[in-house]
Structures are given as C-alpha cells and as structure tokens.
Amino acid sequence: MKNAIKVFAPATIANLGIGFDHLGLAIYGPGDEIIIGEGSEKGLKIKEIKGAKGRLPIDPTKNTAGVAALSLLEAIGAKDYALEMSIHKKMPIGSGLGSSAASAVAGVFAVHKYLRTGLDVSELLPHAVKGEQIASGAKHADNVAPSLLGGMVYIRDNQTLDYKRIYFPKGIFFAVVYPEISILTRDARSVLSKSVSLENAIQQAANFACFVTAANSSDLDLMARCLDDRLIEHQRASLIPYFNEMKEIAMNKGAMGFSISGAGPSVFAMCFNQIEAENIAEKLQSFLKGKKIQATTWVSDINNDGAYLF
C-alpha cells in the first residue's frame, strides 16, 4: 500500500446507565485501527480485515468502516479516488463497547486525514453515523460521537445529531469487564419494552439531568446517587450471566455505580479512583472465572482524545 497512514478510534461506554441512546464516553485501551493508502484502481477497496475471525464483510458497501468512508468520499466529490484500507479490530465484536462505531469512526477519520479534507472533525460525525447504522439498525450517536470527538458527549437529538461535549471530572476511573460472550445490538434492542411507567420516566429524567449537572460541577457524590437506571438495565440484565451478582460485588467494593455498557455483555463500574477500579476489575474477573466464564478487563479514565493519527 503506497503512501499509507494509520489511524485509531477508541472504544466507548454508551448509555452510562441513565442516558440510553443519548450519552456516551470514550475510554483508553480497546479500539479499531485502520491503515489507508493509495489503491491500484478507482474507488475504495478493503484489502484485509484482521482480528474479526471472518465475521465482517470485506465489501466496503456492507462494512461499517467502508460505508462511513464512502459517505465522506461522495460528499467531497472523491468517490472515484483510488484508495485501499486494512482494518485491524483491536476489540471484540458484539461486546457492548462500540465495536461497529469504532470501525465507522476509524474509516471516515482515515479518509479525512489521508485526503486532508480540511473539514472540522465534528463534520465527520454524520458520515460515521451512517456506517454505524448498518450494524446496529438504528440511528444513534452515543458511541460514534465520543469515539470520534473524545470525552463524554450528550446527544440531544439523534436525528439531527445535535450534541454537546460535556466536562467530565478528572480522577474517575472505569473498571470494564467483558464476559466473552456476544450480544448483538439488534438482539439487545429486541428485548426492550415499548412503554415505561410514568414514575420511572420521571425519575430517569431527574437522574440524567442531575448526572450532567454533577459532572459539570465535579460533585462526585451526586454523580454516584444519579447512577440508577430505571428503564433499561433490568430488561437487559438477564442477557448477561451473573449480572446482579457482579453488581453486588462492585457496589460492596465501593463503586460509584455499576451498569451495562451499551447493549452488553460488557459491564462497567464507575469508581472514585484507579486503585478502586483495578481492585473491582480483578474481583469481577476472578468471580467469572469461578463460574467458568472467561473475561477480559480494562481499567481506564476518560479518553479525551478520541480518534487520532499515529
């Protein structure tokens, strides 16, 4: 591949319990890497996909990274530009950590950097969402926006992509645990009820609003009190082995809160500091091992960088 460059897009924790489809943040560690360079013929070609175990299509019109990249190429009038890309999945598929979003972000960001489009990074968001949408079946940017922009992002409206990057207090760490089973977003959405009680809707709105306020004011105790999902968690918990037991362990060890990352099966504990997060990650991994379930863990503070060029 001639004149190649390499980019990376990070994994994300979406929903954060109380912000279903509207809140997410980026973490360090897992993510997707793409190498892009000059191709031998017109158009975009995906040369290879590593780390996906044959589960992802190499056809760019059916691949999340390819669709996002093609969307940008068409928008800037460069769809016939000869490009090749290699995708390296450095995170598990169907993990609840924004795998398809990271691919979409890496795809569009690679084209943006390689062709030096001159666009603001925020202008790439609609193209990344198009890529992620073919995997999830729904238009939502709670994974895509933080993976692209970094930090914690609140999406007021997913249709218009009206969003706001929210300040997040320093020092908070996340213990992320991925039980090595796969739950696809489409399947996790199918178990959700179409209606909720008025009481739960009111409390969820209050928790969401106070969480954002607490983040902006670094009120950690208030943040902890807000991490109480009244709408989604109890509906998806049955899809994740030993979810309630893991939550009890994390909360007993001092976690600020514990919930499902995205559609699962990954779970996260929000913690007051790194040592607490490391201890909780170790305890949860050991617990799952005792239940004959392999698990991968990451400990991370918030990733404010988002997608980047190596």
Side-chain angles (χ1 to χ4, degrees), residues 13-82:
I13 298 173
N15 302 339
L16 289 168
I18 37 76
F20 179 64
D21 276 1
H22 289 270
L23 190 67
L25 58 79
I27 60 172
Y28 291 106
D32 274 11
E33 181 181 286
I34 285 183
I35 298 172
I36 190 169
E38 182 181 342
S40 57
E41 55 185 86
K42 287 184 179 181
L44 174 67
K45 308 296 179 187
I46 297 177
K47 185 178 179 180
E48 61 179 346
I49 302 175
K50 298 179 180 178
K53 300 179 181 179
R55 295 177 60 185
L56 298 179
I58 205 162
D59 180 347
T61 66
K62 298 177 181 178
N63 180 284
T64 55
V67 169
L70 288 169
S71 177
L72 176 59
L73 286 167
E74 184 170 357
I76 63 176
K79 63 180 181 180
D80 291 330
Y81 200 98

Short mmCIF file of all heavy atoms in Angstrom, two decimals, residues 13-82:
data_model
loop_
_atom_site.label_atom_id
_atom_site.label_comp_id
_atom_site.label_asym_id
_atom_site.label_seq_id
_atom_site.Cartn_x
_atom_site.Cartn_y
_atom_site.Cartn_z
N ILE A 13 -18.07 3.62 26.22
CA ILE A 13 -19.14 3.16 27.09
C ILE A 13 -20.36 4.01 26.77
O ILE A 13 -20.32 5.23 26.95
CB ILE A 13 -18.77 3.31 28.57
CG1 ILE A 13 -17.55 2.46 28.92
CG2 ILE A 13 -19.95 2.94 29.46
CD1 ILE A 13 -17.03 2.70 30.33
N ALA A 14 -21.40 3.39 26.26
CA ALA A 14 -22.61 4.14 25.92
C ALA A 14 -23.69 3.93 26.98
O ALA A 14 -23.67 2.94 27.72
CB ALA A 14 -23.15 3.70 24.56
N ASN A 15 -24.58 4.88 27.04
CA ASN A 15 -25.74 4.91 27.95
C ASN A 15 -25.36 5.34 29.37
O ASN A 15 -26.05 6.12 29.99
CB ASN A 15 -26.48 3.57 28.02
CG ASN A 15 -26.97 3.09 26.67
OD1 ASN A 15 -27.12 3.89 25.74
ND2 ASN A 15 -27.22 1.80 26.55
N LEU A 16 -24.25 4.78 29.90
CA LEU A 16 -23.85 5.06 31.29
C LEU A 16 -25.01 4.85 32.25
O LEU A 16 -25.19 5.58 33.23
CB LEU A 16 -23.31 6.49 31.40
CG LEU A 16 -21.95 6.69 30.73
CD1 LEU A 16 -21.60 8.16 30.63
CD2 LEU A 16 -20.86 5.95 31.49
N GLY A 17 -25.84 3.88 31.94
CA GLY A 17 -26.97 3.55 32.79
C GLY A 17 -28.16 4.46 32.59
O GLY A 17 -29.24 4.02 32.23
N ILE A 18 -27.95 5.76 32.77
CA ILE A 18 -29.09 6.67 32.81
C ILE A 18 -29.29 7.49 31.53
O ILE A 18 -30.21 8.29 31.46
CB ILE A 18 -28.98 7.64 34.02
CG1 ILE A 18 -27.52 8.09 34.28
CG2 ILE A 18 -29.48 6.97 35.28
CD1 ILE A 18 -26.99 9.09 33.34
N GLY A 19 -28.48 7.25 30.49
CA GLY A 19 -28.59 8.06 29.28
C GLY A 19 -28.79 7.24 28.03
O GLY A 19 -28.08 7.43 27.03
N PHE A 20 -29.75 6.34 28.03
CA PHE A 20 -29.96 5.40 26.92
C PHE A 20 -30.05 6.12 25.57
O PHE A 20 -30.88 7.01 25.37
CB PHE A 20 -31.25 4.60 27.16
CG PHE A 20 -31.57 3.62 26.07
CD1 PHE A 20 -30.73 2.56 25.81
CD2 PHE A 20 -32.72 3.76 25.30
CE1 PHE A 20 -31.02 1.64 24.81
CE2 PHE A 20 -33.02 2.86 24.30
CZ PHE A 20 -32.18 1.79 24.05
N ASP A 21 -29.17 5.73 24.64
CA ASP A 21 -29.10 6.26 23.28
C ASP A 21 -28.69 7.73 23.19
O ASP A 21 -28.67 8.30 22.10
CB ASP A 21 -30.42 6.07 22.54
CG ASP A 21 -30.57 4.70 21.91
OD1 ASP A 21 -29.65 3.86 22.07
OD2 ASP A 21 -31.61 4.44 21.28
N HIS A 22 -28.37 8.35 24.33
CA HIS A 22 -28.07 9.78 24.29
C HIS A 22 -26.80 10.19 25.03
O HIS A 22 -26.47 11.38 25.03
CB HIS A 22 -29.25 10.57 24.88
CG HIS A 22 -30.46 10.58 23.99
ND1 HIS A 22 -30.67 11.55 23.02
CD2 HIS A 22 -31.50 9.73 23.89
CE1 HIS A 22 -31.80 11.29 22.39
NE2 HIS A 22 -32.32 10.20 22.89
N LEU A 23 -26.09 9.25 25.64
CA LEU A 23 -24.92 9.60 26.42
C LEU A 23 -23.83 8.55 26.24
O LEU A 23 -24.12 7.35 26.24
CB LEU A 23 -25.29 9.72 27.90
CG LEU A 23 -24.25 10.32 28.85
CD1 LEU A 23 -24.02 11.80 28.53
CD2 LEU A 23 -24.72 10.18 30.30
N GLY A 24 -22.60 8.99 26.08
CA GLY A 24 -21.50 8.05 25.95
C GLY A 24 -20.18 8.72 26.21
O GLY A 24 -20.07 9.96 26.16
N LEU A 25 -19.16 7.91 26.50
CA LEU A 25 -17.82 8.45 26.69
C LEU A 25 -16.79 7.48 26.15
O LEU A 25 -17.02 6.27 26.04
CB LEU A 25 -17.55 8.78 28.16
CG LEU A 25 -17.67 7.70 29.23
CD1 LEU A 25 -16.44 6.80 29.29
CD2 LEU A 25 -17.89 8.33 30.60
N ALA A 26 -15.63 8.02 25.79
CA ALA A 26 -14.55 7.22 25.23
C ALA A 26 -13.61 6.75 26.33
O ALA A 26 -13.42 7.44 27.33
CB ALA A 26 -13.77 8.03 24.19
N ILE A 27 -13.02 5.56 26.14
CA ILE A 27 -12.06 5.01 27.08
C ILE A 27 -10.76 4.68 26.35
O ILE A 27 -10.70 4.64 25.12
CB ILE A 27 -12.59 3.75 27.80
CG1 ILE A 27 -12.92 2.64 26.78
CG2 ILE A 27 -13.81 4.09 28.65
CD1 ILE A 27 -13.27 1.30 27.41
N TYR A 28 -9.71 4.45 27.13
CA TYR A 28 -8.43 4.04 26.58
C TYR A 28 -8.35 2.51 26.54
O TYR A 28 -8.97 1.83 27.34
CB TYR A 28 -7.28 4.56 27.44
CG TYR A 28 -7.10 6.06 27.38
CD1 TYR A 28 -7.48 6.86 28.46
CD2 TYR A 28 -6.54 6.66 26.26
CE1 TYR A 28 -7.31 8.24 28.42
CE2 TYR A 28 -6.36 8.04 26.21
CZ TYR A 28 -6.76 8.82 27.29
OH TYR A 28 -6.58 10.19 27.24
N GLY A 29 -7.56 2.01 25.59
CA GLY A 29 -7.32 0.57 25.51
C GLY A 29 -7.84 -0.02 24.22
O GLY A 29 -7.18 0.07 23.17
N PRO A 30 -9.02 -0.63 24.24
CA PRO A 30 -9.54 -1.27 23.03
C PRO A 30 -9.97 -0.24 21.99
O PRO A 30 -10.21 0.93 22.31
CB PRO A 30 -10.74 -2.07 23.55
CG PRO A 30 -11.17 -1.35 24.79
CD PRO A 30 -9.91 -0.81 25.40
N GLY A 31 -10.07 -0.68 20.75
CA GLY A 31 -10.50 0.19 19.66
C GLY A 31 -10.20 -0.43 18.32
O GLY A 31 -9.88 -1.63 18.24
N ASP A 32 -10.29 0.36 17.27
CA ASP A 32 -10.04 -0.12 15.91
C ASP A 32 -8.95 0.71 15.24
O ASP A 32 -8.91 1.94 15.37
CB ASP A 32 -11.32 -0.04 15.07
CG ASP A 32 -12.19 -1.27 15.22
OD1 ASP A 32 -11.91 -2.08 16.12
OD2 ASP A 32 -13.16 -1.42 14.46
N GLU A 33 -8.12 0.02 14.50
CA GLU A 33 -7.01 0.65 13.78
C GLU A 33 -7.22 0.44 12.28
O GLU A 33 -7.61 -0.66 11.85
CB GLU A 33 -5.71 -0.02 14.22
CG GLU A 33 -4.44 0.52 13.61
CD GLU A 33 -3.24 -0.26 14.14
OE1 GLU A 33 -2.86 -0.04 15.30
OE2 GLU A 33 -2.72 -1.10 13.38
N ILE A 34 -6.98 1.48 11.50
CA ILE A 34 -7.09 1.37 10.04
C ILE A 34 -5.85 1.96 9.39
O ILE A 34 -5.40 3.05 9.76
CB ILE A 34 -8.36 2.07 9.52
CG1 ILE A 34 -9.59 1.21 9.82
CG2 ILE A 34 -8.26 2.33 8.01
CD1 ILE A 34 -10.90 1.75 9.29
N ILE A 35 -5.31 1.22 8.45
CA ILE A 35 -4.24 1.72 7.58
C ILE A 35 -4.86 2.01 6.22
O ILE A 35 -5.56 1.17 5.66
CB ILE A 35 -3.10 0.70 7.46
CG1 ILE A 35 -2.46 0.44 8.82
CG2 ILE A 35 -2.05 1.18 6.47
CD1 ILE A 35 -1.45 -0.69 8.82
N ILE A 36 -4.62 3.20 5.70
CA ILE A 36 -5.19 3.59 4.41
C ILE A 36 -4.08 4.15 3.53
O ILE A 36 -3.15 4.81 4.02
CB ILE A 36 -6.32 4.63 4.59
CG1 ILE A 36 -7.08 4.85 3.28
CG2 ILE A 36 -5.80 5.94 5.15
CD1 ILE A 36 -8.38 5.65 3.45
N GLY A 37 -4.17 3.83 2.25
CA GLY A 37 -3.15 4.30 1.32
C GLY A 37 -3.67 4.31 -0.10
O GLY A 37 -4.86 4.05 -0.35
N GLU A 38 -2.78 4.59 -1.01
CA GLU A 38 -3.14 4.69 -2.43
C GLU A 38 -3.48 3.31 -2.98
O GLU A 38 -2.76 2.34 -2.77
CB GLU A 38 -1.98 5.30 -3.20
CG GLU A 38 -2.25 5.49 -4.68
CD GLU A 38 -1.05 6.07 -5.41
OE1 GLU A 38 -0.17 6.64 -4.74
OE2 GLU A 38 -0.99 5.94 -6.65
N GLY A 39 -4.60 3.22 -3.70
CA GLY A 39 -5.02 1.97 -4.30
C GLY A 39 -4.54 1.83 -5.74
O GLY A 39 -3.98 2.77 -6.32
N SER A 40 -4.78 0.66 -6.30
CA SER A 40 -4.32 0.39 -7.67
C SER A 40 -5.41 0.63 -8.71
O SER A 40 -5.14 0.61 -9.91
CB SER A 40 -3.84 -1.07 -7.77
OG SER A 40 -4.89 -1.96 -7.39
N GLU A 41 -6.65 0.86 -8.25
CA GLU A 41 -7.74 1.14 -9.17
C GLU A 41 -8.74 2.09 -8.52
O GLU A 41 -8.70 2.31 -7.31
CB GLU A 41 -8.44 -0.16 -9.58
CG GLU A 41 -8.92 -1.00 -8.41
CD GLU A 41 -9.49 -2.34 -8.86
OE1 GLU A 41 -8.70 -3.29 -9.02
OE2 GLU A 41 -10.71 -2.41 -9.04
N LYS A 42 -9.61 2.65 -9.31
CA LYS A 42 -10.55 3.64 -8.81
C LYS A 42 -11.45 3.07 -7.72
O LYS A 42 -11.84 1.91 -7.75
CB LYS A 42 -11.42 4.16 -9.96
CG LYS A 42 -10.70 5.08 -10.93
CD LYS A 42 -11.67 5.62 -11.98
CE LYS A 42 -10.97 6.58 -12.94
NZ LYS A 42 -11.92 7.12 -13.94
N GLY A 43 -11.78 3.92 -6.79
CA GLY A 43 -12.72 3.53 -5.74
C GLY A 43 -12.01 3.04 -4.48
O GLY A 43 -10.79 2.89 -4.43
N LEU A 44 -12.83 2.78 -3.46
CA LEU A 44 -12.32 2.31 -2.17
C LEU A 44 -12.37 0.79 -2.11
O LEU A 44 -13.41 0.18 -2.39
CB LEU A 44 -13.17 2.90 -1.04
CG LEU A 44 -12.88 2.40 0.37
CD1 LEU A 44 -11.50 2.84 0.83
CD2 LEU A 44 -13.95 2.86 1.35
N LYS A 45 -11.27 0.19 -1.72
CA LYS A 45 -11.19 -1.26 -1.55
C LYS A 45 -10.74 -1.58 -0.12
O LYS A 45 -9.85 -0.90 0.42
CB LYS A 45 -10.19 -1.89 -2.53
CG LYS A 45 -10.40 -1.51 -3.98
CD LYS A 45 -11.73 -2.02 -4.52
CE LYS A 45 -11.91 -1.61 -5.98
NZ LYS A 45 -13.27 -1.94 -6.48
N ILE A 46 -11.34 -2.58 0.48
CA ILE A 46 -10.86 -3.08 1.77
C ILE A 46 -9.95 -4.26 1.47
O ILE A 46 -10.41 -5.30 0.97
CB ILE A 46 -12.01 -3.48 2.70
CG1 ILE A 46 -12.88 -2.25 3.02
CG2 ILE A 46 -11.46 -4.10 3.99
CD1 ILE A 46 -14.09 -2.57 3.88
N LYS A 47 -8.67 -4.09 1.75
CA LYS A 47 -7.68 -5.10 1.40
C LYS A 47 -7.75 -6.31 2.32
O LYS A 47 -7.65 -7.46 1.88
CB LYS A 47 -6.28 -4.47 1.45
CG LYS A 47 -5.16 -5.37 1.00
CD LYS A 47 -3.83 -4.63 1.05
CE LYS A 47 -2.69 -5.53 0.62
NZ LYS A 47 -1.38 -4.81 0.68
N GLU A 48 -7.90 -6.05 3.64
CA GLU A 48 -7.96 -7.14 4.61
C GLU A 48 -8.59 -6.66 5.90
O GLU A 48 -8.64 -5.46 6.18
CB GLU A 48 -6.55 -7.68 4.89
CG GLU A 48 -5.62 -6.65 5.49
CD GLU A 48 -4.24 -7.21 5.80
OE1 GLU A 48 -4.09 -8.45 5.79
OE2 GLU A 48 -3.31 -6.41 6.05
N ILE A 49 -9.07 -7.63 6.67
CA ILE A 49 -9.61 -7.34 8.00
C ILE A 49 -8.96 -8.32 8.97
O ILE A 49 -9.13 -9.54 8.84
CB ILE A 49 -11.14 -7.49 8.05
CG1 ILE A 49 -11.80 -6.56 7.03
CG2 ILE A 49 -11.66 -7.19 9.46
CD1 ILE A 49 -13.31 -6.74 6.92
N LYS A 50 -8.23 -7.79 9.93
CA LYS A 50 -7.58 -8.62 10.94
C LYS A 50 -8.37 -8.56 12.25
O LYS A 50 -8.98 -7.55 12.57
CB LYS A 50 -6.16 -8.14 11.20
CG LYS A 50 -5.23 -8.20 10.01
CD LYS A 50 -3.84 -7.66 10.39
CE LYS A 50 -2.89 -7.70 9.22
NZ LYS A 50 -1.56 -7.14 9.59
N GLY A 51 -8.34 -9.66 12.99
CA GLY A 51 -8.92 -9.68 14.32
C GLY A 51 -10.41 -9.88 14.38
O GLY A 51 -11.01 -9.81 15.45
N ALA A 52 -11.05 -10.12 13.24
CA ALA A 52 -12.50 -10.27 13.21
C ALA A 52 -12.94 -11.72 13.03
O ALA A 52 -14.14 -12.01 13.03
CB ALA A 52 -13.11 -9.41 12.11
N LYS A 53 -11.98 -12.62 12.82
CA LYS A 53 -12.27 -14.04 12.66
C LYS A 53 -13.29 -14.32 11.56
O LYS A 53 -14.15 -15.19 11.67
CB LYS A 53 -12.75 -14.64 13.99
CG LYS A 53 -11.72 -14.52 15.11
CD LYS A 53 -12.23 -15.08 16.41
CE LYS A 53 -11.19 -14.93 17.52
NZ LYS A 53 -11.66 -15.45 18.82
N GLY A 54 -13.19 -13.54 10.48
CA GLY A 54 -14.05 -13.76 9.33
C GLY A 54 -15.49 -13.31 9.50
O GLY A 54 -16.34 -13.62 8.66
N ARG A 55 -15.79 -12.56 10.55
CA ARG A 55 -17.17 -12.19 10.84
C ARG A 55 -17.62 -10.91 10.14
O ARG A 55 -18.82 -10.59 10.17
CB ARG A 55 -17.36 -12.03 12.35
CG ARG A 55 -17.17 -13.32 13.13
CD ARG A 55 -17.29 -13.08 14.61
NE ARG A 55 -18.58 -12.53 15.01
CZ ARG A 55 -18.89 -12.15 16.24
NH1 ARG A 55 -17.99 -12.22 17.19
NH2 ARG A 55 -20.09 -11.68 16.50
N LEU A 56 -16.70 -10.18 9.52
CA LEU A 56 -17.07 -8.90 8.93
C LEU A 56 -16.90 -8.93 7.41
O LEU A 56 -15.94 -9.52 6.90
CB LEU A 56 -16.20 -7.78 9.51
CG LEU A 56 -16.32 -7.55 11.02
CD1 LEU A 56 -15.39 -6.43 11.46
CD2 LEU A 56 -17.76 -7.24 11.40
N PRO A 57 -17.81 -8.29 6.67
CA PRO A 57 -17.72 -8.28 5.21
C PRO A 57 -16.59 -7.41 4.71
O PRO A 57 -16.31 -6.34 5.26
CB PRO A 57 -19.08 -7.71 4.78
CG PRO A 57 -19.53 -6.88 5.94
CD PRO A 57 -19.01 -7.58 7.16
N ILE A 58 -15.93 -7.86 3.65
CA ILE A 58 -14.84 -7.09 3.06
C ILE A 58 -15.36 -6.13 2.00
O ILE A 58 -14.65 -5.20 1.57
CB ILE A 58 -13.78 -8.05 2.49
CG1 ILE A 58 -12.41 -7.35 2.43
CG2 ILE A 58 -14.19 -8.59 1.13
CD1 ILE A 58 -11.25 -8.30 2.31
N ASP A 59 -16.61 -6.29 1.61
CA ASP A 59 -17.26 -5.37 0.66
C ASP A 59 -17.48 -4.03 1.36
O ASP A 59 -18.19 -3.95 2.37
CB ASP A 59 -18.60 -5.97 0.23
CG ASP A 59 -19.36 -5.09 -0.77
OD1 ASP A 59 -18.98 -3.92 -0.96
OD2 ASP A 59 -20.35 -5.58 -1.33
N PRO A 60 -16.89 -2.94 0.85
CA PRO A 60 -16.99 -1.65 1.54
C PRO A 60 -18.41 -1.11 1.63
O PRO A 60 -18.70 -0.30 2.51
CB PRO A 60 -16.09 -0.72 0.73
CG PRO A 60 -15.95 -1.37 -0.60
CD PRO A 60 -16.04 -2.85 -0.35
N THR A 61 -19.30 -1.57 0.77
CA THR A 61 -20.69 -1.10 0.83
C THR A 61 -21.50 -1.81 1.91
O THR A 61 -22.64 -1.45 2.19
CB THR A 61 -21.40 -1.28 -0.52
OG1 THR A 61 -21.52 -2.69 -0.82
CG2 THR A 61 -20.65 -0.58 -1.64
N LYS A 62 -20.90 -2.84 2.52
CA LYS A 62 -21.57 -3.60 3.57
C LYS A 62 -20.80 -3.57 4.89
O LYS A 62 -21.25 -4.15 5.88
CB LYS A 62 -21.77 -5.05 3.13
CG LYS A 62 -22.66 -5.19 1.89
CD LYS A 62 -22.77 -6.64 1.45
CE LYS A 62 -23.64 -6.77 0.21
NZ LYS A 62 -23.72 -8.19 -0.25
N ASN A 63 -19.68 -2.91 4.89
CA ASN A 63 -18.80 -2.84 6.07
C ASN A 63 -18.96 -1.46 6.72
O ASN A 63 -19.01 -0.45 6.02
CB ASN A 63 -17.35 -3.08 5.62
CG ASN A 63 -16.37 -3.02 6.75
OD1 ASN A 63 -16.03 -1.94 7.23
ND2 ASN A 63 -15.89 -4.18 7.17
N THR A 64 -19.02 -1.42 8.04
CA THR A 64 -19.27 -0.13 8.71
C THR A 64 -18.19 0.90 8.41
O THR A 64 -18.50 2.08 8.16
CB THR A 64 -19.36 -0.33 10.24
OG1 THR A 64 -18.20 -0.99 10.72
CG2 THR A 64 -20.58 -1.15 10.60
N ALA A 65 -16.93 0.48 8.43
CA ALA A 65 -15.85 1.42 8.09
C ALA A 65 -15.95 1.86 6.64
O ALA A 65 -15.75 3.05 6.32
CB ALA A 65 -14.49 0.75 8.34
N GLY A 66 -16.27 0.91 5.76
CA GLY A 66 -16.39 1.22 4.34
C GLY A 66 -17.53 2.18 4.04
O GLY A 66 -17.37 3.14 3.28
N VAL A 67 -18.69 1.94 4.65
CA VAL A 67 -19.85 2.79 4.41
C VAL A 67 -19.58 4.21 4.88
O VAL A 67 -19.91 5.19 4.20
CB VAL A 67 -21.10 2.22 5.10
CG1 VAL A 67 -22.25 3.23 5.09
CG2 VAL A 67 -21.54 0.93 4.41
N ALA A 68 -18.98 4.36 6.06
CA ALA A 68 -18.65 5.69 6.57
C ALA A 68 -17.66 6.40 5.66
O ALA A 68 -17.81 7.59 5.35
CB ALA A 68 -18.09 5.57 7.98
N ALA A 69 -16.63 5.68 5.22
CA ALA A 69 -15.63 6.26 4.34
C ALA A 69 -16.23 6.66 3.00
O ALA A 69 -15.97 7.76 2.48
CB ALA A 69 -14.49 5.26 4.13
N LEU A 70 -17.07 5.79 2.43
CA LEU A 70 -17.71 6.08 1.15
C LEU A 70 -18.64 7.29 1.24
O LEU A 70 -18.74 8.09 0.30
CB LEU A 70 -18.49 4.87 0.66
CG LEU A 70 -17.66 3.68 0.17
CD1 LEU A 70 -18.54 2.45 -0.03
CD2 LEU A 70 -16.93 4.03 -1.13
N SER A 71 -19.31 7.44 2.37
CA SER A 71 -20.19 8.59 2.57
C SER A 71 -19.41 9.90 2.49
O SER A 71 -19.83 10.86 1.84
CB SER A 71 -20.91 8.47 3.91
OG SER A 71 -21.73 9.60 4.15
N LEU A 72 -18.26 9.93 3.17
CA LEU A 72 -17.43 11.14 3.12
C LEU A 72 -16.86 11.35 1.72
O LEU A 72 -16.86 12.49 1.21
CB LEU A 72 -16.30 11.03 4.13
CG LEU A 72 -15.29 12.19 4.12
CD1 LEU A 72 -15.98 13.52 4.39
CD2 LEU A 72 -14.17 11.95 5.13
N LEU A 73 -16.38 10.29 1.08
CA LEU A 73 -15.81 10.42 -0.26
C LEU A 73 -16.83 11.00 -1.24
O LEU A 73 -16.50 11.86 -2.07
CB LEU A 73 -15.32 9.05 -0.75
CG LEU A 73 -14.04 8.54 -0.11
CD1 LEU A 73 -13.83 7.07 -0.43
CD2 LEU A 73 -12.83 9.36 -0.58
N GLU A 74 -18.07 10.55 -1.14
CA GLU A 74 -19.11 11.07 -2.02
C GLU A 74 -19.40 12.54 -1.72
O GLU A 74 -19.58 13.36 -2.63
CB GLU A 74 -20.39 10.25 -1.88
CG GLU A 74 -21.48 10.68 -2.84
CD GLU A 74 -22.66 9.72 -2.87
OE1 GLU A 74 -22.61 8.68 -2.18
OE2 GLU A 74 -23.63 10.02 -3.60
N ALA A 75 -19.42 12.88 -0.44
CA ALA A 75 -19.73 14.25 -0.04
C ALA A 75 -18.69 15.25 -0.53
O ALA A 75 -19.02 16.41 -0.83
CB ALA A 75 -19.84 14.33 1.48
N ILE A 76 -17.43 14.82 -0.61
CA ILE A 76 -16.37 15.74 -1.05
C ILE A 76 -16.02 15.56 -2.52
O ILE A 76 -15.06 16.15 -3.02
CB ILE A 76 -15.10 15.58 -0.19
CG1 ILE A 76 -14.51 14.18 -0.34
CG2 ILE A 76 -15.40 15.90 1.27
CD1 ILE A 76 -13.18 13.99 0.40
N GLY A 77 -16.82 14.75 -3.23
CA GLY A 77 -16.61 14.55 -4.66
C GLY A 77 -15.37 13.75 -5.00
O GLY A 77 -14.74 13.98 -6.03
N ALA A 78 -15.04 12.77 -4.15
CA ALA A 78 -13.83 11.98 -4.38
C ALA A 78 -14.12 10.48 -4.37
O ALA A 78 -13.24 9.68 -4.03
CB ALA A 78 -12.79 12.32 -3.31
N LYS A 79 -15.33 10.08 -4.77
CA LYS A 79 -15.70 8.67 -4.67
C LYS A 79 -14.90 7.77 -5.61
O LYS A 79 -14.83 6.56 -5.41
CB LYS A 79 -17.19 8.48 -4.91
CG LYS A 79 -17.68 8.88 -6.29
CD LYS A 79 -19.18 8.66 -6.42
CE LYS A 79 -19.70 9.03 -7.80
NZ LYS A 79 -21.16 8.80 -7.92
N ASP A 80 -14.31 8.35 -6.66
CA ASP A 80 -13.50 7.55 -7.59
C ASP A 80 -12.01 7.56 -7.24
O ASP A 80 -11.20 6.97 -7.96
CB ASP A 80 -13.70 8.06 -9.02
CG ASP A 80 -15.09 7.78 -9.55
OD1 ASP A 80 -15.68 6.77 -9.13
OD2 ASP A 80 -15.58 8.56 -10.38
N TYR A 81 -11.66 8.22 -6.15
CA TYR A 81 -10.26 8.26 -5.74
C TYR A 81 -9.80 6.85 -5.37
O TYR A 81 -10.49 6.12 -4.66
CB TYR A 81 -10.11 9.19 -4.54
CG TYR A 81 -8.71 9.70 -4.32
CD1 TYR A 81 -8.32 10.96 -4.77
CD2 TYR A 81 -7.77 8.91 -3.67
CE1 TYR A 81 -7.04 11.44 -4.57
CE2 TYR A 81 -6.48 9.37 -3.47
CZ TYR A 81 -6.11 10.63 -3.92
OH TYR A 81 -4.85 11.09 -3.72
N ALA A 82 -8.64 6.45 -5.87
CA ALA A 82 -8.13 5.09 -5.64
C ALA A 82 -7.57 4.97 -4.23
O ALA A 82 -6.53 5.55 -3.91
CB ALA A 82 -7.06 4.75 -6.66
#
